Amino acid sequence: MTSLVKVQSFARASIQQVRFLSILYYVVTIQTTLRRFLAKKKFVKSLKVYKANRAATQIQATWRAKISRDFYHLHCGARIIQKTWRMFLKRRDFSLFRKARDIQTAWRRYS
């Protein structure tokens, strides 16, 4: 009787082991599928964030370039005004200098 009990015990243990391993296989398969799904979801979310950040960076770069161009054109306009004004002053001074020279030349010629 003891040998029959041992055979039954081994048979039950074998059946339980097969059942346990099959359940373990299904659990691992479900975990793998779930982890893959979550990883894919996280990747898609991070990809969307990356694309949004890239788009925002592009918008910011375009805006900064526009502001820089506008400032440059404004600065160029100011330089042109300053250059024209300085040129006017120099011509006026030179004209006064030429008149003074002509007067001095005439004075020296008749002195």
Side-chain angles (χ1 to χ4, degrees):
M1 187 96 168
T2 59
S3 63
L4 185 59
V5 172
K6 283 190 177 191
V7 170
Q8 286 177 346
S9 174
F10 282 124
R12 277 192 229 114
S14 177
I15 292 170
Q16 288 300 322
Q17 188 176 13
V18 168
R19 187 179 295 162
F20 173 77
L21 290 176
S22 68
I23 290 172
L24 182 65
Y25 172 77
Y26 291 127
V27 167
V28 169
T29 303
I30 291 170
Q31 283 178 344
T32 303
T33 305
L34 183 63
R35 286 181 182 151
R36 184 183 321 127
F37 171 76
L38 293 176
K40 185 177 178 183
K41 186 176 176 182
K42 184 178 178 182
F43 174 74
V44 168
K45 183 178 179 181
S46 67
L47 188 63
K48 286 180 184 178
V49 169
Y50 172 74
K51 286 182 180 180
N53 285 343
R54 215 168 87 194
T57 303
Q58 185 65 37
I59 291 168
Q60 289 171 357
T62 304
W63 178 255
R64 287 180 185 142
K66 182 202 178 309
I67 294 297
S68 179
R69 278 192 306 274
D70 290 349
F71 179 75
Y72 175 74
H73 292 306
L74 181 68
H75 187 67
C76 285
R79 276 193 299 178
I80 290 171
I81 292 170
Q82 288 172 356
K83 179 181 80 169
T84 306
W85 179 251
R86 287 179 187 141
M87 191 168 54
F88 168 76
L89 292 177
K90 290 295 180 185
R91 283 183 181 169
R92 188 183 69 180
D93 291 347
F94 186 70
S95 173
L96 289 175
F97 173 74
R98 187 180 296 161
K99 290 177 185 177
R101 186 190 62 188
D102 291 345
I103 293 171
Q104 284 178 351
T105 304
W107 178 260
R108 288 179 185 156
R109 195 176 296 158
Y110 292 109
S111 303

